[in-house]
Amino acid sequence: MTSSSMLRSGRGASERSARTERASLLGPGLLYVTAFMAVPVLLVLSYVVFQRGRFGGIVYEFTLDNFSRALAETYRVVLVDSVIIAGAATLLALVIGYPVAYAIAQLPDRWRTIALVLVVIPFWTNFLVRTYAWIVLLSSEGVVNRSLISLGVIDDPLTMLYTRGAVVVGLLYAYLPLMILPLYASITRLDPELREAATNLGASRLRTFRDITWPLTLPGAITGCIFVFVPSLGNFVIPELLGGGKTVMIGNVVRDQFLKARDWPFGATLALFLIVVLVLLFALQSVLSRRYSTGGPR
Amino acid sequence: MKTLARSGRRALAGAASVVLALSVAACGGGSDDETSADELDANADLSQQSIVVSNWADYMPADIADTFTAETGAGMEVTTHATNEEIMAKLTAGADSGIDVAFVSGPFAQALAEQGLVEPIHADLVPNLENLYPEAQELSYDEGNEYSVPYAWGTTGICYREDLVDAAPTSWNDLLEPAPQYEGKVTMMATDRWLMLPAQKALGFSANTTDEAEMEQVKDKLIAAKKTLLAYDDTTFYERLISGEAVMVEAWDGWCNYGTAEDPNIKFTVPEEGSDLWADTMVILKSSENKEAAHAFINYVLEPETHAWAAENILYNVPNEPAMELVPGEMKDQYPPLSLTPAELLEGEPLVDLGEAATTYTQMTTEITSSK
């Protein structure tokens, strides 16, 4: 509040003071995000128009080569592949996560908390440890194969590890809680009377779900899908460990440009492509959310 | 922004330094000046100097900083890097890295030297250079050890489970085109140079080839080989042999020994088409302000007892004759690669820096590993 604004009276002043208060509340957070996120990211992205030095490093000579290189078939194939794999993990997470979230929402209060904690617990364990656990489960000499062989179900071990399927399963497992939580939130916000009304009007359970529950929980589903899809698309640890390096995702390629090829400008270009894809996704999400959440309880 | 990178500002807090590292203009591009040697004082008071040595984790004795200080009076601090690429990024970023001595592989030492970032080795300050095998003084990435001193050397071959294969592999093609019963039980490395090596050698090419037609053939051969692979594995291939998931893997000689230590059925062979010769070296940075202590450190590493530690603990050959003589005979019996003679190692082709072709290798690596 400046002294000059104190002299003014009426609505303008209070609006201004509200604005000042908002700004002062937002200030620290904005400063933090700008200094530690936006500036470094923008710096790295600014490299896209420069060249790689012969031994790494960056030569500040303008070029558009990185873009034409990024459009090479090699990387198109990898990007499409990444979208397919991340998409499969997302779809499976939705199919598995929805019933789970629905079931948790039906529980009495005390059990709800316990169930939610159980969903989140894996997040408290180191990511690498959890991924290695899958290796122990899936390998040809692993728990699953040995059990099946000793039960006489199979004679030779199944090839499960180091396949695309293993990558999808790994991503699904890693990010499933991120699907369940927003779904749970939107399901609990559902007004039960709406479903009752539908039932009273003679709708079958399936029809009630299709016409009432699903549309009203769609924003939660979309949020969950974004939460799973985005980190899946950029992940490079799981493809490496569970895919045995034979499934290459765009995250692996970006990582290799920075850490192996010492080609920062090109790595930044590929990362920029990825960011564009994700920004488009978020735009789609906000459009869909607005369309479906009008009229529903907020 | 460059003023931020002045030396003497090394104690920046972690987070701040990350931001700084990104904002400090990285002057890429090598300078073409002739590397000129500083005047060094052979009688400098080492207790007034302190060095920072960057090495791979567990690659030298854990207490080396203390024993080095006890021996010479110079202070020493160890930092680690996971890969050549990581340390290269630090050393070529244009800012003062604060590192005096770095351990890098041969081609990377060559690249640093070409950029004028390393100090020539002052042989008069490193009397222990005489411990090196003559063969270790003529490695093609740095003939005459002008700017680097080899620390460990070895070759790449096939590491296999003798009890799980009908016959010992003799050719790179045994790995690239395995017999039907071994399909899905073979691994190769994913790092570009070593991914290419088996196919380059099987086709009779150089491990340093930059010929496009040759590389196309190499690529096709490796794309075909991918279909029979269990995985690309640079780090845990010997564990796959121990568990029996794999019967044959591409491996560095020293790393095959890690498998042999657990299971004596695990053997190593260099295929008949030949292989590479890799060397990990020590370089002194031009930016170092403690060059006398840095030379003293290299000299200390070349002491037979210090250098033998590497052979006995990392199970790599070291290019130091008296050090290799200290390695117990039973150890050499248990780990045959430790008995490879310098002459046998020199049959391998030394890997050299690829220059501009490195980008092609990287893109091909992606093409191969992402092929269906």
Side-chain angles (χ1 to χ4, degrees):
Chain A
M1 290 287 279
T2 58
S3 55
S4 63
S5 71
M6 294 280 280
L7 297 171
R8 296 205 190 90
S9 60
R11 281 191 52 182
S14 64
E15 251 176 52
R16 235 196 319 282
S17 75
R19 253 207 307 271
T20 323
E21 192 185 358
R22 265 206 303 274
S24 62
L25 282 173
L26 279 173
L30 274 176
L31 200 70
Y32 177 86
V33 168
T34 309
F36 291 99
M37 285 272 304
V39 171
V41 165
L42 287 173
L43 267 170
V44 172
L45 288 181
S46 71
Y47 298 154
V48 300
V49 293
F50 297 125
Q51 302 171 16
R52 162 189 188 264
R54 204 193 125 187
F55 305 105
I58 291 160
V59 179
Y60 289 92
E61 281 175 34
F62 184 85
T63 176
L64 291 174
D65 277 0
N66 294 317
F67 291 95
S68 52
R69 268 175 71 198
L71 293 169
E73 193 194 354
T74 314
Y75 304 109
R76 277 209 308 273
V77 168
V78 172
L79 185 61
V80 169
D81 230 25
S82 307
V83 170
I84 292 172
I85 290 171
T90 307
L91 206 63
L92 284 169
L94 181 63
V95 170
I96 295 171
Y98 201 100
V100 173
Y102 199 93
I104 294 176
Q106 310 306 318
L107 290 172
D109 275 352
R110 202 162 54 91
W111 291 105
R112 263 192 207 186
T113 317
I114 292 171
L116 285 174
V117 167
L118 287 176
V119 166
V120 180
I121 274 185
F123 272 146
W124 300 342
T125 335
N126 182 296
F127 182 77
L128 273 179
V129 170
R130 289 187 285 140
T131 309
Y132 269 99
W134 276 99
I135 295 181
V136 172
L137 282 172
L138 296 179
S139 96
S140 63
E141 304 296 318
V143 177
V144 176
N145 269 316
R146 274 209 304 269
S147 316
L148 289 176
I149 289 172
S150 64
L151 290 170
V153 181
I154 50 172
D155 295 332
D156 290 316
L158 300 169
T159 309
M160 292 179 287
L161 193 57
Y162 310 132
T163 57
R164 290 163 69 89
V167 177
V168 173
V169 167
L171 292 169
L172 164 67
Y173 164 77
Y175 300 122
L176 187 58
L178 295 177
M179 175 67 83
I180 294 174
L181 296 175
L183 273 174
Y184 165 81
S186 68
I187 292 170
T188 46
R189 278 207 307 262
L190 258 186
D191 188 348
E193 287 180 7
L194 290 170
R195 282 206 303 268
E196 261 172 58
T199 315
N200 290 345
L201 293 167
S204 65
R205 293 186 60 165
L206 186 69
R207 177 119 196 242
T208 307
F209 178 78
R210 204 187 62 196
D211 290 347
I212 309 286
T213 315
W214 174 247
L216 289 176
T217 53
L218 196 59
I222 294 170
T223 306
C225 285
I226 298 252
F227 279 2
V228 174
F229 186 80
V230 171
S232 294
L233 194 62
N235 193 297
F236 55 83
V237 177
I238 290 174
E240 190 130 314
L241 292 178
L242 298 180
K246 292 191 295 182
T247 301
V248 178
M249 289 177 71
I250 196 77
N252 300 77
V253 180
V254 172
R255 191 262 327 254
D256 287 352
Q257 296 307 324
F258 279 93
L259 296 185
K260 287 188 177 172
R262 285 172 281 141
D263 194 342
W264 285 41
F266 188 53
T269 309
L270 290 171
L272 180 66
F273 275 61
L274 204 52
I275 290 172
V276 169
V277 169
L278 297 178
V279 165
L280 288 174
L281 263 179
F282 277 108
L284 184 73
Q285 181 236 2
S286 62
V287 167
L288 288 174
S289 287
R290 260 203 299 279
R291 179 176 306 171
Y292 285 102
S293 53
T294 41
R298 289 288 166 91
Chain B
M1 287 309 264
K2 281 215 64 89
T3 52
L4 290 171
R6 252 188 252 128
S7 61
R9 297 279 308 267
R10 284 177 198 158
L12 285 161
S17 65
V18 170
V19 176
L20 280 177
L22 288 166
S23 59
V24 167
C27 292
S31 58
D32 296 329
D33 342 334
E34 268 307 300
T35 316
S36 57
D38 284 6
E39 281 299 311
L40 294 190
D41 175 9
N43 304 315
D45 177 7
L46 294 183
S47 67
Q48 297 305 306
Q49 298 190 11
S50 181
I51 52 170
V52 176
V53 177
S54 187
N55 196 349
W56 286 275
D58 307 325
Y59 212 41
M60 55 187 175
D63 60 356
I64 195 164
D66 300 335
T67 57
F68 170 68
T69 303
E71 179 89 9
T72 63
M76 174 175 161
E77 204 182 312
V78 178
T79 116
T80 58
H81 52 261
T83 59
N84 278 304
E85 288 76 11
E86 183 188 331
I87 184 71
M88 285 299 279
K90 270 190 204 169
L91 300 178
T92 56
D96 177 6
S97 60
I99 292 166
D100 300 281
V101 180
F103 283 68
V104 293
S105 298
F108 294 88
Q110 185 189 353
L112 287 169
E114 283 176 29
Q115 290 184 85
L117 293 173
V118 294
E119 177 70 16
I121 301 293
H122 298 246
D124 53 319
L125 294 184
V126 192
N128 284 336
L129 280 171
E130 64 181 18
N131 292 340
L132 292 174
Y133 289 107
E135 290 89 342
Q137 304 183 27
E138 52 187 59
L139 299 168
S140 60
Y141 61 86
D142 178 22
E143 299 261 351
N145 296 338
E146 281 178 33
Y147 50 78
S148 69
V149 176
Y151 175 71
W153 60 351
T155 185
T156 309
I158 301 176
C159 187
Y160 62 99
R161 274 280 294 266
E162 197 179 34
D163 55 330
L164 298 180
V165 292
D166 300 337
T170 55
S171 154
W172 282 118
N173 284 319
D174 294 332
L175 185 83
L176 295 165
E177 298 160 10
Q181 66 269 35
Y182 309 137
E183 284 186 10
K185 297 184 174 179
V186 179
T187 75
M188 287 178 66
M189 294 189 205
T191 303
D192 50 10
R193 302 301 296 269
W194 286 288
L195 170 68
M196 304 298 179
L197 178 79
Q200 285 167 330
K201 289 299 168 185
L203 292 162
F205 303 147
S206 157
N208 300 304
T209 181
T210 53
D211 179 288
E212 280 181 27
E214 289 185 355
M215 285 308 286
E216 279 301 314
Q217 291 184 55
V218 167
K219 186 177 88 180
D220 293 343
K221 196 169 177 72
L222 289 170
I223 287 177
K226 185 188 171 184
K227 298 176 176 48
T228 56
L229 282 189
L230 169 69
Y232 290 107
D233 189 340
D234 285 347
T235 46
T236 59
F237 42 78
Y238 58 94
E239 292 171 11
R240 313 218 172 287
L241 287 176
I242 296 166
S243 72
E245 283 172 275
V247 298
M248 240 188 295
V249 301
E250 180 190 3
W252 296 300
D253 51 347
W255 285 47
C256 188
N257 289 334
Y258 303 156
T260 310
E262 300 275 331
D263 182 346
N265 286 309
I266 294 177
K267 302 279 188 242
F268 179 80
T269 181
V270 178
E272 59 201 3
E273 299 93 347
S275 185
D276 67 337
L277 165 63
W278 58 261
D280 289 336
T281 72
M282 301 174 275
V283 294
I284 296 172
L285 277 297
K286 196 133 199 77
S287 57
S288 166
E289 289 162 10
N290 308 285
K291 292 195 174 76
E292 287 86 359
H295 280 85
F297 171 76
I298 290 182
N299 194 56
Y300 179 69
V301 169
L302 293 177
E303 291 284 341
E305 293 76 18
T306 323
H307 218 159
W309 178 95
E312 291 169 17
N313 289 276
I314 319 169
L315 304 181
Y316 280 7
N317 281 296
V318 294
N320 183 321
E321 197 160 11
M324 286 308 289
E325 280 164 7
L326 289 178
V327 177
E330 61 266 25
M331 202 159 189
K332 290 181 179 167
D333 295 340
Q334 192 185 352
Y335 305 113
L338 287 178
S339 303
L340 284 167
T341 63
E344 286 172 322
L345 283 169
L346 277 198
E347 285 172 17
E349 186 186 8
L351 295 175
V352 298
D353 179 56
L354 294 168
E356 290 300 340
T359 315
T360 316
Y361 270 59
T362 310
Q363 177 160 357
M364 275 196 178
T365 301
T366 305
E367 266 177 73
I368 294 159
T369 54
S370 64
S371 66
K372 304 269 188 312

